[in-house]
Amino acid sequence: MKLGYDGKRAFQNETGLGNYSRSLVAILAQRYPQHDYTLFAPKKTDLFNPAGFDNVHAVFPETVVGKKISAWWRRYHIVKAIEKAGIDIYHGLSNELPLHIERTPVKSIVTIHDLIFERFPETYHYDEQFTYRWKIKRACKKANAIIAISQQTKDDLINLYGVNANKISICYQSCNPIFERTCTQEEKELIKQKYNLPDDFFLFVSSIAPRKNLSTVCKALVSLKEKLHIPLVVIGNGKKEKAAARSLMNSNGMADRLILLNEMPISNDPAFMTAADFPAIYQQATALIYPSLFEGFGLPVLEALWSRLPVICSNISSLPEVAGDAALYFSPADYESLAAHMMDIATHPQIADALKDLGYKQAQKFTPATYAGNIMEVYNKVMGI
């Protein structure tokens, strides 16, 4: 099969949808080398290198107008490029499909990650809500098949948009295979020096947006000010919420316990931007804290499970689907419960060790082989194979 993909996020997003896109294409290309994989993207960057695979290619705008107005190319002219490439199936990896893809012989599949903008509309501008809603509803209507990344997302599509359940397949994602390998002590020491990491630290990996709930972690740290002196290392960026977190920590004399890696010059290093250094960071942390108010999946949780890193996370949305019985859970607003879990892991090695073992066992449910097989099953079904 000749398979085409929306490559915008693979080339332009450092986290989230970018990681999803890069991991999926890489895993499929390695597991099913008999197929041909082409990414259609408006801009070339160093975040993804198709040359690393014999069967992966990339198509970018060729005209001056297409290069300068990438959104215009992606919206109206990408379909011509898809047809020209002889694609059998085009897979929209981020909640949308190109206009008029249904007018071509090309089969189409769309991955829907979440409907968070419907659940937390106050955190989105009205025009964003309208655009996201229009794109997702249209894609679900036009696509030959829909992939939901969790049961939570499938349920939302059915209950909020009335999508036919038979059209939706749940394909739990895996994560970048680099998290499967145990880093050597030498590798971890090099990363520790590179990022000036403390000996012990809790880890928060996420964009710093209201829904990601960094404030609750900071409140927990403040409540533990005299009991626990382990800082929080943050991988992720944001504006108002980051400023608010810094203000809270500063006002309590704890500025040194909030370490924002994205503010360091080293964050421009390609190994940070592509997450290549992340496994060695995960494998040195005390625990991952993931306090999100809502998730379609929660990839950092899975990355932590593979890394044998204890997980403390919210008890809502898709997170229990991912972590199973391998995490300590808390209600997202309950910083006191979070603080108690942080104390337990930091002061009781037996709890941390048990979570590491349970986490690695849970991670086996989300192997690259299982993930790739589930995706390929959807492709074959669409093609009538």
Side-chain angles (χ1 to χ4, degrees):
M1 284 186 286
K2 300 191 73 173
L3 302 164
Y5 298 87
D6 177 359
K8 178 184 176 182
R9 271 75 182 185
F11 285 96
Q12 294 182 226
N13 287 42
E14 294 180 18
T15 59
L17 295 177
N19 287 337
Y20 174 83
S21 301
R22 288 184 290 270
S23 295
L24 174 59
V25 173
I27 290 170
L28 288 174
Q30 292 164 356
R31 299 277 173 175
Y32 296 91
Q34 69 271 31
H35 301 305
D36 184 87
Y37 306 85
T38 301
L39 287 87
F40 296 84
K43 183 180 180 181
K44 183 179 181 180
T45 71
D46 294 331
L47 288 179
F48 187 77
N49 181 19
F53 307 87
D54 293 333
N55 53 347
V56 179
H57 320 282
V59 173
F60 304 100
E62 297 179 348
T63 66
V64 174
V65 176
K67 292 176 182 178
K68 286 188 175 182
I69 312 176
S70 59
W72 175 79
W73 176 82
R74 190 164 172 263
R75 176 73 58 89
Y76 298 105
H77 286 261
I78 191 174
V79 170
K80 293 182 180 179
I82 293 169
E83 282 196 278
K84 183 178 179 180
I87 298 300
D88 296 308
I89 298 176
Y90 177 83
H91 187 168
L93 298 177
S94 54
N95 305 323
E96 62 180 308
L97 291 173
L99 287 177
H100 308 314
I101 187 75
E102 71 277 6
R103 298 181 184 178
T104 73
V106 180
K107 303 290 186 181
S108 64
I109 296 170
V110 64
T111 292
I112 305 298
H113 295 266
D114 57 65
L115 299 183
I116 291 171
F117 64 94
E118 298 285 15
R119 290 184 169 273
F120 296 90
E122 68 278 4
T123 63
Y124 294 83
H125 293 298
Y126 176 79
D127 57 342
E128 290 179 315
Q129 296 177 47
F130 176 84
T131 300
Y132 296 154
R133 188 177 298 118
W134 182 84
K135 285 182 177 181
I136 292 176
K137 284 187 173 182
R138 178 190 168 277
C140 289
K141 181 179 179 181
K142 302 296 184 181
N144 296 99
I146 301 164
I147 290 174
I149 65 170
S150 65
Q151 183 67 50
Q152 177 69 63
T153 297
K154 179 175 181 177
D155 290 345
D156 282 352
L157 287 172
I158 295 169
N159 297 328
L160 298 179
Y161 288 171
V163 177
N164 185 344
N166 295 327
K167 198 175 182 180
I168 307 171
S169 297
I170 299 173
C171 295
Y172 289 115
Q173 63 192 93
S174 184
C175 64
N176 193 319
I178 62 175
F179 286 93
E180 296 179 32
R181 188 179 71 85
T182 300
C183 298
T184 66
Q185 191 58 43
E186 181 181 10
E187 289 171 328
K188 289 189 284 189
E189 187 60 34
L190 287 172
I191 293 300
K192 181 179 180 181
Q193 294 177 12
K194 181 177 180 179
Y195 294 97
N196 195 26
L197 297 172
D199 291 337
D200 301 295
F201 59 91
F202 291 107
L203 184 63
F204 175 98
V205 181
S206 175
S207 58
I208 307 175
R211 173 175 58 87
K212 299 299 186 175
N213 200 24
L214 177 59
S215 62
T216 290
V217 189
C218 292
K219 290 176 183 176
L221 286 168
V222 170
S223 74
L224 294 170
K225 180 178 179 179
E226 305 302 331
K227 300 178 182 178
L228 196 65
H229 296 85
I230 299 178
L232 178 69
V233 169
V234 175
I235 298 177
N237 220 336
K239 294 182 180 179
K240 292 182 179 179
E241 290 70 29
K242 180 174 71 174
R246 183 187 287 113
S247 176
L248 176 61
M249 298 297 282
N250 289 353
S251 65
N252 284 277
M254 300 176 64
D256 60 335
R257 298 194 205 177
L258 181 63
I259 302 170
L260 302 163
L261 294 191
N262 286 69
E263 292 192 345
M264 296 181 178
I266 196 65
S267 66
N268 293 316
D269 188 303
F272 182 85
M273 297 173 67
T274 61
D277 285 345
F278 288 9
I281 297 176
Y282 276 69
Q283 291 175 32
Q284 296 182 71
T286 301
L288 175 80
I289 303 176
Y290 206 74
S292 180
L293 301 178
F294 194 88
E295 289 295 323
F297 186 76
L299 185 59
V301 171
L302 181 56
E303 292 170 346
L305 298 180
W306 274 113
S307 301
R308 289 186 168 88
L309 174 63
V311 171
I312 309 172
C313 69
S314 301
N315 60 358
I316 59 173
S317 63
S318 64
L319 296 179
E321 291 184 60
V322 181
D325 63 355
L328 299 181
Y329 292 102
F330 66 99
S331 177
D334 188 358
Y335 70 87
E336 293 179 337
S337 178
L338 169 58
H341 288 327
M342 293 165 69
M343 280 292 294
D344 284 341
I345 288 179
T347 60
H348 296 87
Q350 68 273 22
I351 294 178
D353 290 342
L355 287 172
K356 291 176 184 179
D357 293 340
L358 288 170
Y360 191 72
K361 182 180 179 181
Q362 176 71 7
Q364 307 313 305
K365 300 177 182 179
F366 304 90
T367 65
T370 299
Y371 179 37
N374 290 339
I375 294 288
M376 196 56 63
E377 185 177 329
V378 178
Y379 291 172
N380 289 337
K381 182 177 180 181
V382 166
M383 292 298 294
I385 298 174

